[in-house]
Amino acid sequence: QLMQYKSATKIQSRWRGFLAEEQLMQYKSATKIQSRWRGFLVEEQYILFMAGRKIQTWWRCHSLRKNYLRNISATKIQSKWRGFVAQEQYLLIKSVMKIQARWRGFVAHEQYLLYKSSTKIQAKWRGFVAQEQCLLYKSARKIQACWRSYTAQVHMLISIVHVIVIQSLWRRRTAVKLYKPLLHRIKLAKERKQINAAVIVQSRWRGFVQYSTYLIRRYENKAATTIQAYWRGYLQSTSYSVLYLLGGCESPSSCKGSSRTILVFLSEGMCHHHSSFMQTLLGQTGVSQ
């Protein structure tokens, strides 16, 4: 029985070992199969993941490229449009600048012409005033020269008369001393000579006074006539110029009545304001033109 029990125990242990080994082998084989299956599943999932990621990357690249091309085309369109708008604005500004430059040049040319015309009028007026002053100075100098020559002649004649009187007195005294016995006869002859000399001196003196008076009156009349002629010509020319500039007359014949009116107005006491009046009036007409 003991031997049977031992043998049965060994058989049971061997059978249990075999069953345990079989179970171990089955467990190992099942573990390998499960690991292989799980590896296959993981590999399939990895392949699917990589394929999905590749598809996603390709799609994203495609969408990004499409968006990039769209942005580039939009940027090009915007740049072209902005360049067109900037070119239009530049052409508009250039045309406006040309118009402004032409207008400013026209205005500057007009102002230059006005300034040139006013300068010419002022130069003519100043030349006319200088000529009038020169003529007045020459006439005054001529009058002064005539008056100085007249006074010099008068002083010379007076000095000659004084010399003659002194000489006659001295000769009388010497004659009285030398010819005292014949005094009565000499006195009569001297009186006749003195009378004749006095008559001659008086006649010469009267002739000189008359001739000098005639010369003075002649020079005074000539100077007055010259001054009046120049003054009347000046008044006629200035009145005609004023009426012509104001547009009041178209011909010299139509300016006669107006020029006479201006002459009467100037001759009634306004001659001393004539130059300022003319300058003001010419300035106004220059501005109105």
Side-chain angles (χ1 to χ4, degrees), residues 242-259:
V242 170
L243 293 174
Y244 182 75
L245 289 174
L246 292 176
C249 60
E250 298 178 354
S251 64
S253 61
S254 61
C255 294
K256 289 182 179 179
S258 301
S259 63

Side-chain angles (χ1 to χ4, degrees), residues 5 18 35 47 57 69 82 91 107 173 196 209 220 232 254 269 273 280 285:
Y5 178 73
F18 176 74
S35 63
I47 291 169
T57 54
L69 292 174
R82 288 170 183 169
L91 292 175
V107 171
R173 183 180 178 185
N196 292 327
V209 170
E220 286 179 354
R232 287 170 184 169
S254 61
H273 296 291
T280 307
T285 53

Side-chain angles (χ1 to χ4, degrees), residues 113-179:
L113 290 177
L114 288 174
Y115 175 74
K116 194 173 181 181
S117 61
S118 63
T119 305
K120 284 185 177 179
I121 292 169
Q122 289 177 359
K124 294 286 185 181
W125 175 253
R126 287 169 184 169
F128 176 74
V129 171
Q131 189 177 4
E132 289 295 324
Q133 289 179 357
C134 180
L135 291 174
L136 290 173
Y137 175 73
K138 285 183 178 180
S139 61
R141 191 169 62 182
K142 284 184 180 180
I143 293 168
Q144 289 176 359
C146 292
W147 176 253
R148 286 170 184 169
S149 66
Y150 169 72
T151 54
Q153 290 177 4
V154 170
H155 286 299
M156 185 182 68
L157 290 175
I158 291 170
S159 62
I160 289 170
V161 169
H162 290 167
V163 169
I164 290 169
V165 170
I166 292 169
Q167 287 178 357
S168 64
L169 292 174
W170 179 256
R171 287 169 186 171
R172 179 179 176 278
R173 183 180 178 185
T174 55
V176 167
K177 285 182 179 181
L178 291 173
Y179 303 101

Side-chain angles (χ1 to χ4, degrees), residues 65-280:
R65 185 178 180 184
K66 192 174 181 180
N67 291 326
Y68 176 72
L69 292 174
R70 188 180 296 169
N71 290 327
I72 288 175
S73 61
T75 304
K76 285 184 178 180
I77 292 167
Q78 288 177 358
S79 65
K80 293 287 184 180
W81 175 253
R82 288 170 183 169
F84 173 74
V85 171
Q87 189 176 4
E88 290 293 325
Q89 290 179 356
Y90 173 73
L91 292 175
L92 182 63
I93 291 170
K94 195 173 180 180
S95 61
V96 169
M97 287 174 67
K98 283 185 178 180
I99 293 169
Q100 288 178 354
R102 292 293 178 86
W103 175 252
R104 287 169 183 168
F106 174 74
V107 171
H109 185 66
E110 290 293 325
Q111 290 178 356
Y112 173 72
L113 290 177
L114 288 174
Y115 175 74
K116 194 173 181 181
S117 61
S118 63
T119 305
K120 284 185 177 179
I121 292 169
Q122 289 177 359
K124 294 286 185 181
W125 175 253
R126 287 169 184 169
F128 176 74
V129 171
Q131 189 177 4
E132 289 295 324
Q133 289 179 357
C134 180
L135 291 174
L136 290 173
Y137 175 73
K138 285 183 178 180
S139 61
R141 191 169 62 182
K142 284 184 180 180
I143 293 168
Q144 289 176 359
C146 292
W147 176 253
R148 286 170 184 169
S149 66
Y150 169 72
T151 54
Q153 290 177 4
V154 170
H155 286 299
M156 185 182 68
L157 290 175
I158 291 170
S159 62
I160 289 170
V161 169
H162 290 167
V163 169
I164 290 169
V165 170
I166 292 169
Q167 287 178 357
S168 64
L169 292 174
W170 179 256
R171 287 169 186 171
R172 179 179 176 278
R173 183 180 178 185
T174 55
V176 167
K177 285 182 179 181
L178 291 173
Y179 303 101
K180 195 172 183 181
L182 301 174
L183 184 60
H184 183 67
R185 191 178 294 176
I186 293 169
K187 187 175 181 181
L188 291 175
K190 191 67 175 177
E191 286 178 358
R192 284 195 297 270
K193 287 182 180 181
Q194 287 180 356
I195 290 169
N196 292 327
V199 170
I200 291 169
V201 171
Q202 288 178 358
S203 63
R204 294 291 178 86
W205 175 254
R206 288 169 184 168
F208 171 74
V209 170
Q210 292 293 329
Y211 183 69
S212 59
T213 306
Y214 167 73
L215 287 177
I216 290 170
R217 289 182 180 176
R218 182 181 175 183
Y219 283 124
E220 286 179 354
N221 292 328
K222 189 176 179 180
T225 305
T226 305
I227 293 168
Q228 288 176 0
Y230 276 109
W231 180 250
R232 287 170 184 169
Y234 164 69
L235 290 179
Q236 288 291 336
S237 62
T238 51
S239 61
Y240 172 72
S241 299
V242 170
L243 293 174
Y244 182 75
L245 289 174
L246 292 176
C249 60
E250 298 178 354
S251 64
S253 61
S254 61
C255 294
K256 289 182 179 179
S258 301
S259 63
R260 289 176 182 174
T261 305
I262 291 175
L263 286 172
V264 172
F265 172 71
L266 292 173
S267 63
E268 288 180 355
M270 296 299 292
C271 293
H272 60 281
H273 296 291
H274 185 62
S275 60
S276 61
F277 170 73
M278 283 297 299
Q279 290 177 2
T280 307

